[in-house]
Amino acid sequence: MGEDGQHRVMWTSAGALLLALCAVAALPLAEAGPAAEQGTGVRTGRLLQAAPAPGPRVYFAAVQQGRLAVTVDTTPGANRYRVQGRPVVGPNITKEGPGEPAGLPVGSKHRLYFEAGEFAAGRLYRFFAYASLDGGRTWSGQSPVGYAFQTPRHAAARARPGAPTIVSGGVVGGDLSLLVEPPQLEGGPGPIISYIVRGALIGTGGQSLFQESLGEAAARGRRRFVFAAGSFLSGRSYIFTVQATNSQGSGAASTSLQVNTPSSWPGKPTVAGAVLSPTGVLSVLVNPPVVTGGPGTIFSYTLRGTPVGTGTPLSVSGLGTVSSGAVGQRKFDFLPGTFTLGVDYVFTVRAQNVEGLSPLSDEFTYDAPNLPPRPPPPAPRPPPPSPKPPPSPRPPPKVLSPPPPKPLPTGDCSSDGMWTSVATAFQSSTYNPRAAFSFGAGFGADGDFSANSNFQVVYSFTEPMYQNSNEATKRCVWWMSTFGASKAWQGARVTVPSSATKFPDLLVVATNAEPPSFPLSTASLWQQFFADPSTIVCARLPGQFAVANKGKVLELPCRGASGRPFSPGLQNFVIFAIDAKASKNVPRCPPSPPSPPPNPPPPSPSPPNPPPSPPPPGDTQWRTAGANPLPTAVDWAAQGNQDWLTFSSFLMEGLTYSPTDPMFSANNTNNKTCVWWMSDSSNPKPLARPYYVGVRIAIPTQVTTKFPLMLFMLSDLPAPTFSAYGGDWSGWFENNSTRACAVLKQDMALSPDNKGKSLLLPCRDPANQAAGSEFTSLARYMVGFAIDYAGTKNVPRWATVAFEMGPGPAPPPPV
């Protein structure tokens, strides 16, 4: 028996086997090696293997100062030890080395350490030990009995998690699946609350993948993340990384893994319907398949219509034309005479990409009528005029009294219909003014309106347009330019005096409807005016924003739904000066001329305004929050700041981020225009970082055309508990301690420059979002609002948002 606990024997003929065994057993190990082989001239091999000696006992385990220490009994002559921890779920952990002498007497034990991040928090391990006498070339057996020890739940308190590990990834059953090993360092306090999975597409022609969730539970404590068929491209490559998130924020990213998706033909498309136009054209609508396959896109559809009975078969290939229906829907037109009227048709379609044809779609049956729909009959002609009656004798002449003097125009905007219509249009508009815009050269002014030019009232920054003693005091004033023909209006130019402390809210409206003449006004006339399909809100200027830019000339272009300037191409241009507080004291305004160019460009179509809806909580605050915020480039971590109280659509409702799906689905009767969350008494501020610094907002790479408006408010009053029915906000916004900290507007969230980034929005004065106006706050609470900007009661989903907490201003230098 040698040191390695093994015998060596020689393989011989059957007659010499017993003699060889006896001879080898009598030799020391060194003599039974290669020399024995050379002496006999035969090949040797391992035939018998004795069980190795048991390893040392694991004496004790404990977590000390963030490190996991495991103590084992000393093995005489050993110069290296190995400790292995085997959990119920998760990967094994192993530490190897000479160990540190320990115990009493010193040297009776040896201790090995697992550093922070090399073991999981809150996990039950069973430890075994091994010993080596030759520096690790050979090892003893394991300890006879394992030592059970559960690490503390938060061994590394107030720390972000470590990096997870992507075990594998690929396409299985049509879905792309990733298997992820949780990080060894869970951090805390609290467990891991989500994972951020990013899949960067290699090359162009598609979007990268993003998912923020806990995934699905898998074997051995792992998590599985699935991207459904149709959400990724076939025949392409993605580079995936994963980050874990806990209450302290997101940890380091995992090592990347490249996943190559297989090439495939498309899935089944769908014949969505068929429509016969008044001119006799049969249009068949085709929805693309969920899985487009690839690489590349669908380059052709083959649509066939089989008549039921006698009729002309239909067949067409190509892409057709773009339909105004569902996303990606195509339209194929069959002209009169190419199909048989009065015959049922059964339509099927196939899609084709570079890999081949898709399966045949399900059948769609269409029953074509005998004749195309008839246009509505013309309106009946009016009856001929009745003959004129014979002239009556003239009455005797009367002595006319002089007419009474005409009253001065008072601007009668006091009717509820007028006020409601204008105020609702102003509040429901998503238009955000920006002080930096300029019309540029080539744009001229048409019309010049002011308190002085219209009413001979000199501008005053404190006096109202109408005095309280005037019984005709009003809540709004309006003026307009009407030409009876299209004019290329571009917007309005507003001069804000340097002495301005009050200013009216201004609403700029373009329309083909005829506005009531000044000063005439009735509720029905104004309701008809704003309900006209051509009426759109072209621009708006909150008075608070105007005061914040006093001494400047603000140029407000008409902006469409995308936020880009455009010319509405409508006949009439109306500007309203509004008393925002309904005090019937409209502030005075200086000249505000509309601004058309000398050579009008062709008009751009603009959709009519959606019906107005009541503003959600916080609506007025974000609309008066000034210009777009500027993210800070300051390294918050270097200043000692940390994320706190992370919120997302997933954490609040279990909804994975989607660029198009709302926070509340359309079939939910509790749909809301606003969602809010907050710090409260159950979440006390960190003692070491009691100052609110701002917010950190993650903009997903998937973001397309929807993102909620986000407003963050500070207050010493607790906010109402979240409720699907709203909550009582009375008095909260009016409290002296309540103020705005930060605002994220839609165009900033949707900017291509911000996709995939974390925006750091510091607390700034609402009227001044420029750099240099930052502040920190010791307010007791912060409340975040996600607002439905479109009034559809469908708040878009968002990704991770975290409040940023800091230790406060630096102490002054010593004198």
Side-chain angles (χ1 to χ4, degrees):
M1 177 73 75
E3 289 182 354
D4 61 356
Q6 295 178 345
H7 291 285
R8 291 186 181 273
V9 299
M10 295 178 292
W11 295 91
T12 66
S13 64
L17 178 59
L18 181 59
L19 180 61
L21 285 171
C22 295
V24 172
L27 291 173
L29 180 63
E31 298 176 4
E37 295 182 16
Q38 295 172 5
T40 60
V42 295
R43 180 172 61 86
T44 65
R46 299 178 186 269
L47 179 65
L48 301 175
Q49 181 173 350
R57 179 187 62 152
V58 178
Y59 176 73
F60 186 69
V63 172
Q64 302 169 348
Q65 296 181 346
R67 298 195 301 172
L68 172 59
V70 181
T71 305
V72 303
D73 288 340
T74 298
T75 299
N79 54 20
R80 198 165 185 84
Y81 294 89
R82 175 188 295 164
V83 172
Q84 186 175 76
R86 303 170 189 170
V88 178
V89 294
N92 296 340
I93 59 174
T94 303
K95 179 62 67 172
E96 181 182 319
E100 174 186 286
L104 291 175
V106 175
S108 63
K109 304 287 188 293
H110 275 73
R111 184 175 295 135
L112 286 83
Y113 293 94
F114 292 86
E115 300 298 329
E118 295 179 341
F119 62 95
R123 188 161 297 179
L124 177 63
Y125 290 95
R126 188 169 293 277
F127 288 98
F128 296 88
Y130 304 78
S132 176
L133 306 177
D134 54 9
R137 288 191 296 113
T138 60
W139 292 92
S140 69
Q142 68 180 22
S143 306
V145 179
Y147 182 90
F149 175 71
Q150 181 164 356
T151 58
R153 182 64 184 170
H154 306 299
R158 300 205 178 277
R160 299 185 184 189
T165 303
I166 304 178
V167 178
S168 62
V171 177
V172 180
D175 296 335
L176 193 158
S177 177
L178 291 179
L179 190 62
V180 174
E181 188 80 57
Q184 292 283 8
L185 176 62
E186 190 176 78
I192 291 174
I193 56 179
S194 67
Y195 290 85
I196 299 174
V197 183
R198 292 185 173 91
L201 177 66
I202 299 178
T204 59
Q207 291 187 342
S208 296
L209 302 179
F210 178 89
Q211 186 178 140
E212 183 177 7
S213 70
L214 277 173
E216 304 170 357
R220 301 185 62 186
R222 294 168 173 171
R223 311 300 299 182
R224 179 177 288 107
F225 299 88
V226 177
F227 293 88
S231 63
F232 58 91
L233 300 178
S234 301
R236 301 294 295 273
S237 297
Y238 292 86
I239 301 294
F240 282 96
T241 57
V242 181
Q243 290 175 275
T245 302
N246 63 12
S247 62
Q248 301 300 304
S250 299
S254 67
T255 302
S256 62
L257 175 71
Q258 179 171 325
V259 175
N260 302 318
T261 60
S263 302
S264 68
W265 55 75
K268 288 196 307 184
T270 305
V271 180
V275 179
L276 187 66
S277 73
T279 59
V281 177
L282 178 61
S283 299
V284 181
L285 306 176
V286 173
N287 288 340
V290 173
V291 179
T292 59
T297 58
I298 293 173
F299 61 78
S300 180
Y301 291 92
T302 300
L303 175 67
R304 288 188 171 90
T306 303
V308 180
T310 303
T312 304
L314 302 177
S315 180
V316 64
S317 295
L319 284 175
T321 58
V322 177
S323 168
S324 60
V327 176
Q329 189 178 81
R330 313 297 297 186
K331 181 164 67 78
F332 297 86
D333 292 333
F334 296 94
L335 299 178
T338 61
F339 60 96
T340 305
L341 294 172
V343 174
D344 293 352
Y345 277 87
V346 177
F347 287 100
T348 57
V349 65
R350 279 181 164 173
Q352 185 175 8
N353 63 12
V354 295
E355 293 295 312
L357 285 169
S358 73
L360 193 66
S361 72
D362 296 333
E363 294 181 346
F364 175 84
T365 301
Y366 174 70
D367 184 7
N370 290 323
L371 294 173
R374 295 181 179 179
R381 294 182 178 181
S386 58
K388 294 182 179 180
S392 57
R394 291 183 178 180
K398 295 181 178 180
V399 178
L400 298 178
S401 59
K406 292 183 178 181
L408 293 175
T410 60
D412 188 1
C413 291
S414 59
S415 71
D416 290 339
M418 172 65 180
W419 169 244
T420 302
S421 300
V422 177
T424 300
F426 181 85
Q427 291 292 341
S428 61
S429 170
T430 59
Y431 182 96
N432 298 320
R434 306 171 193 175
F437 182 84
S438 174
F439 285 114
F443 288 79
D446 191 292
D448 187 355
F449 306 96
S450 68
N452 180 267
S453 59
N454 283 67
F455 299 96
Q456 293 76 49
V457 179
V458 177
Y459 175 75
S460 167
F461 61 90
T462 56
E463 294 297 327
M465 190 74 181
Y466 302 99
Q467 299 293 337
N468 282 328
S469 58
N470 184 342
E471 63 180 2
T473 53
K474 297 297 167 278
R475 289 180 286 187
C476 74
V477 180
W478 80 100
W479 58 94
M480 61 273 190
S481 291
T482 58
F483 291 89
S486 297
K487 197 170 184 68
W489 302 111
Q490 297 294 312
R493 180 181 293 126
V494 181
T495 302
V496 183
S498 57
S499 58
T501 58
K502 295 181 180 180
F503 208 83
D505 290 342
L506 297 181
L507 180 71
V508 182
V509 174
T511 182
N512 283 331
E514 186 71 22
S517 299
F518 192 83
L520 301 178
S521 154
T522 65
S524 59
L525 285 178
W526 284 111
Q527 289 168 356
Q528 293 174 18
F529 173 83
F530 280 100
D532 190 280
S534 69
T535 301
I536 64 170
V537 173
C538 172
R540 65 191 287 277
L541 177 66
Q544 185 175 354
F545 182 83
V547 173
N549 290 276
K550 56 188 175 183
K552 297 181 181 179
V553 175
L554 302 179
E555 301 196 334
L556 308 177
C558 295
R559 295 185 186 272
S562 65
R564 297 180 178 178
F566 80 109
S567 175
L570 300 173
Q571 296 178 10
N572 305 320
F573 215 56
V574 186
I575 299 178
F576 299 87
I578 309 169
D579 166 26
K581 296 184 178 181
S583 63
K584 295 189 177 182
N585 279 326
V586 178
R588 301 181 188 179
C589 52
S592 306
S595 301
N599 298 314
S604 302
S606 177
N609 276 355
S613 61
D619 183 77
T620 303
Q621 280 70 25
W622 83 258
R623 293 183 190 279
T624 58
N628 244 329
L630 296 175
T632 182
V634 174
D635 185 353
W636 277 353
Q639 294 183 336
N641 304 332
Q642 282 189 359
D643 293 350
W644 179 62
L645 289 184
T646 302
F647 300 92
S648 69
S649 304
F650 178 80
L651 295 175
M652 296 186 71
E653 294 289 328
L655 300 174
T656 303
Y657 176 75
S658 167
T660 55
D661 292 332
M663 184 72 180
F664 299 102
S665 61
N667 60 1
N668 186 339
T669 58
N670 293 339
N671 285 343
K672 290 293 161 287
T673 56
C674 181
V675 180
W676 74 94
W677 61 96
M678 62 280 187
S679 60
D680 53 30
S681 57
S682 64
N683 294 299
K685 293 189 297 182
L687 294 177
R689 294 175 177 83
Y691 284 83
Y692 289 105
V693 177
V695 291
R696 183 190 304 269
I697 302 180
I699 306 298
T701 54
Q702 290 173 289
V703 71
T704 53
T705 59
K706 295 183 179 180
F707 205 81
L709 290 160
M710 309 202 90
L711 171 70
F712 300 89
M713 303 285 292
L714 301 168
S715 183
D716 288 335
L717 286 183
T721 303
F722 182 75
S723 164
Y725 296 94
D728 183 7
W729 291 92
S730 57
W732 192 87
F733 287 101
E734 293 78 14
N735 187 270
N736 291 333
S737 68
T738 302
R739 64 180 302 188
C741 164
V743 60
L744 176 70
K745 297 184 179 178
Q746 183 201 15
D747 52 355
M748 184 174 179
L750 300 182
S751 170
D753 296 335
N754 293 328
K755 287 187 178 182
K757 294 183 180 179
S758 286
L759 302 183
L760 310 182
L761 303 182
C763 290
R764 291 197 179 106
D765 179 43
N768 181 11
Q769 289 289 328
S773 61
E774 294 85 355
F775 68 89
T776 59
S777 174
L778 279 172
R780 295 181 63 187
Y781 308 110
M782 179 180 278
V783 183
F785 297 89
I787 301 174
D788 161 33
Y789 59 90
T792 62
K793 293 190 177 180
N794 281 327
V795 178
R797 298 182 189 177
W798 68 94
T800 304
V801 175
F803 298 160
E804 194 71 12
M805 309 301 294
V815 179

